[in-house]
């Protein structure tokens, strides 16, 4: 009898262990890949609007190759509809992970619900999103990139410290990034937060230059013309990226003024072009925003496929570079 009892207990334990092994096996199948199969990552890039974006694309491509990840790369040419199409095609192709840098903050509800239904994890790189209903965080596993509000604050703080004007009026023109994009919204908000503490600093004109040199130049030309017509003096240009500032520098020179002297310029990114402009005395400061997200993205992709839990937010560490450190820093710049 005792012997029979022992056999029954051993059998029950065995069945329980088999059941548990079965459960964990089923869970693993959805997250792991056979070792001989490459992980497939679908990445939808915004476009090639700036030096920053080009460096970001190069970083992602090089890191994917180094990590042995098969990258399906799609360039949306700055159109949200193209990004949505690309994400849908990644879902159809059943890639392991989808990553994208959203051109604008809103309008992703439907496609992200589709990715969720297909159980494909989504990583946001560089820019974040807002959902029209529900919590955006339920639709992505991690968001890696810069703190754009902080970048705007850094630009504002640098400016106030540099100008050292407590009462005298300081007239600022602002070149905004792409309308509706996270960096344009946040960099504006961060900068304004600082200006609120300094009533003599005023943004007298603000318009989008879509993060491109050509648009930056065009909009700066119109700022200069209308300021002249209104009898206003432009003291400062705040550009949401270096490319627009570089375009604007050309417009300022063509108007017979000295960029960096007649008009103080602060912009964001820290690309090599900005360091060259600082060395030439035409740009006064750049606030760093690193595009080198490739390695982080590949690590996150591998971790996800291995079933690891990722931090919901991975913030890039960045600095502020005034013109006086430009020649020393230029040789160290990687983008
Ligand atoms: O989202 C990052 C921004 O996008 C960069 O500041 C800008 O240069 C780019 O186009």
């Amino acid at each position: 009898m005792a012997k029979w009892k022992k056999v029954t207990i051993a059998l029950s334990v065995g069945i329980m262990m088999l059941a548990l092994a079965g459960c964990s096996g089923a869970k693993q199948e959805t997250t792991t890949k056979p070792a001989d199969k490459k992980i497939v990552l679908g990445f939808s890039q915004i476009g090639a609007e700036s030096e920053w974006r080009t460096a970001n694309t190069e970083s992602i491509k090089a890191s994917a190759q180094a990590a042995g990840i098969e990258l399906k790369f799609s360039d949306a040419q700055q159109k949200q509809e193209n990004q949505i199409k690309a994400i849908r095609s990644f879902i159809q192709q059943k890639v392991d992970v989808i990553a994208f840098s959203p051109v604008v903050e809103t309008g992703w509800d439907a496609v992200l619900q589709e990715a969720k239904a297909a159980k494909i994890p989504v990583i946001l790189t560089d820019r974040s999103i807002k959902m029209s209903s529900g919590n955006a965080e339920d639709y992505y596993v991690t968001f890696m990139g810069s703190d754009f509000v902080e970048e705007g604050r850094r630009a504002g703080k640098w400016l106030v410290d540099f100008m050292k004007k407590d009462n005298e009026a300081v007239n600022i023109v602002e070149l905004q990034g792409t309308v509706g994009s996270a960096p344009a919204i946040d960099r504006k908000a961060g900068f304004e937060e600082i200006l609120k503490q300094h009533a003599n600093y005023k943004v007298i004109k603000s318009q989008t230059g879509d993060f491109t040199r050509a648009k930056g130049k065009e909009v700066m030309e119109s700022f200069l013309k209308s300021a002249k017509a209104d009898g206003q003096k432009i003291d400062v240009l705040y550009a949401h990226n270096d490319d627009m500032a570089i375009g604007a520098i050309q417009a300022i020179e063509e108007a017979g003024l000295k960029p960096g002297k007649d008009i103080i310029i602060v912009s964001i990114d820290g690309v090599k072009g900005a360091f060259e402009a600082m060395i030439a005395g035409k740009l006064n400061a750049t606030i760093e925003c690193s595009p080198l997200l490739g390695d982080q993205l590949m690590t996150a992709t591998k971790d996800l496929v291995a079933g690891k839990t990722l931090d919901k937010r991975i913030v890039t560490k960045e600095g502020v570079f005034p013109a006086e450190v430009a020649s020393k820093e230029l040789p160290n710049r990687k983008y």
Side-chain angles (χ1 to χ4, degrees):
M1 189 65 174
K3 203 175 178 189
W4 181 84
K5 252 190 184 171
K6 268 186 198 162
V7 171
T8 317
I9 291 167
L11 267 175
S12 320
V13 170
I15 288 164
M16 269 169 65
M17 280 175 71
L18 271 176
L20 280 173
C23 284
S24 64
K27 200 176 163 205
Q28 290 243 318
E29 265 167 33
T30 61
T31 51
T32 55
K33 258 188 108 76
D36 60 332
K37 285 252 164 88
K38 270 193 168 184
I39 296 171
V40 182
L41 167 68
F43 183 78
S44 164
Q45 179 61 289
I46 292 175
E49 74 280 7
S50 59
E51 226 181 297
W52 189 101
R53 189 65 54 197
T54 307
N56 181 245
T57 294
E58 278 165 13
S59 162
I60 287 164
K61 287 186 175 170
S63 300
Q65 206 182 7
I69 289 177
E70 184 185 332
L71 178 69
K72 291 186 183 291
F73 183 91
S74 172
D75 178 336
Q77 296 176 351
Q78 272 164 286
K79 290 198 175 81
Q80 182 175 34
E81 72 223 55
N82 291 344
Q83 287 204 288
I84 292 175
K85 261 190 222 154
I87 296 170
R88 289 210 164 108
S89 117
F90 296 149
I91 297 172
Q92 262 183 357
Q93 294 172 67
K94 296 188 171 46
V95 300
D96 298 302
V97 176
I98 293 173
F100 77 114
S101 190
V103 61
V104 288
E105 275 190 333
T106 57
W108 306 101
D109 296 47
V111 76
L112 291 187
Q113 275 152 11
E114 289 163 35
K116 198 177 171 78
K119 294 191 168 42
I120 301 178
V122 172
I123 297 177
L124 298 182
T125 69
D126 164 36
R127 299 183 182 181
S128 71
I129 52 158
K130 288 202 171 89
M131 299 293 266
S132 57
S133 63
N135 190 354
E137 291 192 359
D138 295 340
Y139 292 88
Y140 62 84
V141 284
T142 186
F143 162 38
M144 57 181 65
S146 310
D147 180 340
F148 297 136
V149 178
E150 185 53 31
E151 289 171 352
R153 284 190 202 114
R154 285 180 185 154
K157 281 183 200 154
W158 175 85
L159 182 66
V160 170
D161 286 352
F162 179 82
M163 300 295 282
K164 293 189 181 58
K165 297 208 164 149
D166 294 333
N167 304 305
E168 215 177 307
V170 177
N171 288 342
I172 305 167
V173 295
E174 178 184 35
L175 280 169
Q176 295 181 38
T178 303
V179 176
S181 69
I185 296 167
D186 293 351
R187 287 172 183 169
K188 185 172 183 46
F191 189 72
E192 280 171 359
E193 203 181 294
I194 303 301
L195 293 202
K196 266 192 205 135
Q197 303 155 27
H198 304 271
N200 53 323
Y201 287 71
K202 290 231 162 56
V203 175
I204 55 164
K205 290 171 201 304
S206 180
Q207 208 178 303
T208 180
D210 210 11
F211 283 131
T212 69
R213 282 185 195 201
K215 268 274 185 167
K217 178 170 188 268
E218 192 185 307
V219 177
M220 190 68 208
E221 279 165 359
S222 80
F223 283 166
L224 287 161
K225 261 191 211 145
S226 67
K228 199 172 177 188
D230 300 344
Q232 285 173 316
K233 182 180 180 301
I234 299 174
D235 300 306
V236 174
L237 163 65
Y238 166 46
H240 289 191
N241 82 343
D242 292 338
D243 279 74
M244 291 189 294
I246 292 166
I249 285 172
Q250 244 185 295
I252 296 169
E253 285 179 324
E254 282 170 21
L257 296 167
K258 286 198 175 76
K261 289 179 187 75
D262 295 329
I263 298 180
I264 300 302
I265 308 175
V266 54
S267 57
I268 298 178
D269 274 355
V271 296
K272 279 187 183 158
F275 280 78
E276 283 154 10
M278 287 196 286
I279 292 168
K282 297 177 181 184
L283 177 74
N284 304 88
T286 184
I287 313 300
E288 190 177 33
C289 174
S290 176
L292 308 177
L293 301 173
D295 286 351
Q296 259 178 346
L297 174 59
M298 299 315 143
T299 305
T301 300
K302 283 187 171 174
D303 284 352
L304 263 181
V305 174
K308 292 188 192 161
T309 308
L310 305 181
D311 287 342
K312 206 75 199 180
R313 180 76 171 100
I314 303 170
V315 185
T316 321
K317 287 199 183 91
E318 289 148 349
V320 173
F321 297 97
E324 41 295 6
V325 302
S327 349
K328 196 177 151 237
E329 280 298 324
L330 182 60
N332 307 326
R333 300 306 293 168
K334 297 205 169 57
Y335 60 94

